[in-house]
Amino acid sequence: MSKQTQIIAVDTGNGRTKVAYWEEGKIKTDVFASVVYEGTGGKTQIGQKENSFYSYLFGQDGYCVFPEGDTASARPIDLLSEGGYSGNAVKALFLTALLRNGFAGQDVAFISNLPIGEYFQKTFEGYEENGAKVNSKLDVLGHSRVDYFTGQESGIELPRVVNGSIYAEGAAAFVDYLIDDNGEINAVPSSVQVVDIGSGTIDVCVVHDDHSITYTQTEPLGIGYMLEKLRLELFNKVPALKRYLSSDRIPMPLVESWYQSKNIKLFDPHTKSHTDINIADHCSHIITDYCNKIRQRVPLQNGVSDVFLLGGGALDQEIYANLSACWPNIYKPEEPDFANVKGLLKLETFVNDKNYNADIVDYFSKSKTEDEEIA
């Protein structure tokens, strides 16, 4: 297998898609919005560049990805309920991840993700890989049936997939802690509960110091669930929002921006002025209810000494403070939102037995030796 094969990890989340790959011996990351619409044409954005979206045609099914997000009233595809994590919308996100990171025309070996509750199945011997669901996602990411994408007319080639793997969210994030960037194994506590709060789901597992997993759980309680509750509360309690007629007509990216700023800025076309509405109290109320729901649905398992809090939810200081008040010692990595995709990359690079691994490991060994000589 060619030494030019690039290893790339792609975490196709319901709200954000994250990417990790090696560049000059270091992990480089990327993140973009998981905004996918059905159809390949007829959709425009005022003020957007022509190359700000990617269109694909798989047989008769067209999909358009807007990696910078979109505030149109139309609702993008929900990966949790429309096609799941092995549908063509995921395929479009995967291709976008490769193309926007410069892998056009290159040989790539990928590793991607499944919610931990889908990846693992419980058997008499313990938790094992669910081969049927893994193969389903591997099949859809093998993109031989792409009939069209936006780059073809300018001569851009699709990446060539030479190999692929799938692993579980949450458990992958623990791999990022377990293995450092040089492939060395770190010591771990005897029993850790990993809680990964993503955009669409919360993925949970209990990992032990022998690297075994004794419990898995996936709940549809990601940040998107909280934002949906906030959207409904704001529509019901902020009279100025009645202009939208119903809560589901308020674009979710707009709700997310309001949540981040704790402020609603509305323009009145009659007075030609802006009105600012402080929503900090509404946000705090929703966060408290949300964290209570997490504690009800994600109980701590017996024997757990530490909680690893990961995902985009771990970046939210109010969520972190609420959960820290009632759970034992909580550890949050430096980049909790990238822990999954970095763990996937390390797993594929240092653990999985693929032919291309020897080339990658040799490269890292050489880089380390050269650095030591320079020092």
Side-chain angles (χ1 to χ4, degrees):
M1 197 168 291
S2 170
K3 287 192 176 184
Q4 298 303 311
T5 299
Q6 299 289 324
I7 300 177
I8 181 167
V10 182
D11 177 350
T12 51
N14 200 43
R16 301 281 189 276
T17 291
K18 301 179 181 73
V19 181
Y21 54 93
W22 297 104
E23 187 172 272
E24 297 181 355
K26 296 182 179 179
I27 296 178
K28 184 172 182 178
T29 57
D30 178 39
V31 58
F32 61 93
S34 298
V35 176
V36 189
Y37 293 95
E38 290 191 53
T40 57
K43 189 171 193 321
T44 60
Q45 285 186 311
I46 296 174
Q48 289 283 346
K49 298 179 181 179
E50 290 183 1
N51 63 353
S52 63
F53 63 90
Y54 295 76
S55 295
Y56 306 93
L57 189 64
F58 309 130
Q60 299 299 313
D61 300 322
Y63 296 87
C64 194
V65 178
F66 285 79
E68 305 306 322
D70 182 29
T71 57
S73 58
R75 186 176 62 84
I77 293 172
D78 186 333
L79 304 184
L80 293 178
S81 59
E82 302 171 57
Y85 285 96
S86 59
N88 277 333
V90 167
K91 185 175 182 176
L93 289 172
F94 173 72
L95 286 170
T96 299
L98 299 183
L99 291 171
R100 70 183 255 118
N101 282 281
F103 292 98
Q106 295 191 40
D107 290 343
V108 298
F110 74 86
I111 182 166
S112 193
N113 60 313
L114 277 173
I116 199 164
E118 292 191 26
Y119 180 85
F120 285 107
Q121 59 183 351
K122 192 172 184 179
T123 69
F124 289 113
E125 298 179 354
Y127 286 92
E128 296 179 355
E129 175 189 288
N130 188 326
K133 292 189 175 181
V134 167
N135 289 334
S136 179
K137 185 159 187 178
L138 285 174
D139 287 345
V140 79
L141 297 188
H143 52 265
S144 60
R145 300 189 310 276
V146 181
D147 298 319
Y148 168 84
F149 75 104
T150 51
Q152 273 187 330
E153 65 270 22
S154 58
I156 297 175
E157 294 182 63
L158 285 172
R160 295 179 294 274
V161 173
V162 299
N163 220 320
S165 300
I166 304 293
Y167 195 56
E169 297 172 24
F174 190 74
V175 172
D176 180 46
Y177 175 80
L178 178 67
I179 304 176
D180 68 21
D181 289 3
N182 294 315
E184 300 295 328
I185 304 296
N186 295 317
V188 297
S190 61
S191 183
V192 173
Q193 184 156 326
V194 178
V195 180
D196 176 16
I197 305 176
S199 300
T201 61
I202 294 180
D203 289 288
V204 185
C205 63
V206 174
V207 186
H208 304 277
D209 53 5
D210 63 357
H211 309 157
S212 64
I213 292 176
T214 58
Y215 176 83
T216 67
Q217 179 183 5
T218 294
E219 294 287 339
L221 289 175
I223 295 298
Y225 172 91
M226 182 192 71
L227 292 176
E228 183 61 50
K229 295 295 184 183
L230 178 62
R231 177 164 69 171
L232 183 60
E233 168 151 329
L234 293 177
F235 179 78
N236 289 332
K237 297 185 178 181
V238 178
L241 295 182
K242 294 300 181 183
R243 67 178 68 182
Y244 284 98
L245 301 182
S246 65
S247 65
D248 59 4
R249 293 172 66 91
I250 305 174
M252 189 57 78
L254 196 55
V255 177
E256 186 174 6
S257 69
W258 293 343
Y259 171 74
Q260 291 170 351
S261 65
K262 305 299 185 286
N263 179 75
I264 295 175
K265 184 181 288 292
L266 293 177
F267 177 74
D268 188 332
H270 300 290
T271 63
K272 297 183 179 179
S273 62
H274 285 92
T275 300
D276 289 299
I277 304 171
N278 187 300
I279 59 169
D281 289 343
H282 293 291
C283 292
S284 293
H285 170 245
I286 290 297
I287 289 171
T288 299
D289 287 350
Y290 177 59
C291 290
N292 286 337
K293 176 69 74 172
I294 291 175
R295 289 194 291 267
Q296 292 168 9
R297 299 283 288 274
V298 184
L300 293 184
Q301 300 302 301
N302 291 334
V304 167
S305 60
D306 299 85
V307 172
F308 277 34
L309 190 63
L310 308 162
L315 293 172
D316 190 297
Q317 291 301 316
E318 288 194 65
I319 292 176
Y320 179 77
N322 265 274
L323 294 178
S324 297
C326 62
W327 281 353
N329 184 43
I330 290 184
Y331 170 82
K332 181 173 66 172
E334 185 176 344
E335 295 184 294
D337 51 336
F338 284 107
N340 262 313
V341 74
K342 288 168 63 179
L344 289 171
L345 182 65
K346 292 177 182 179
L347 183 68
E348 189 71 4
T349 302
F350 299 118
V351 179
N352 287 351
D353 185 18
K354 300 289 194 306
N355 293 331
Y356 51 79
N357 273 16
D359 299 333
I360 300 295
V361 172
D362 286 346
Y363 168 72
F364 279 96
S365 298
K366 181 180 178 182
S367 298
K368 186 174 181 181
T369 301
E370 289 175 348
D371 292 340
E372 289 171 351
E373 290 175 354
I374 292 172

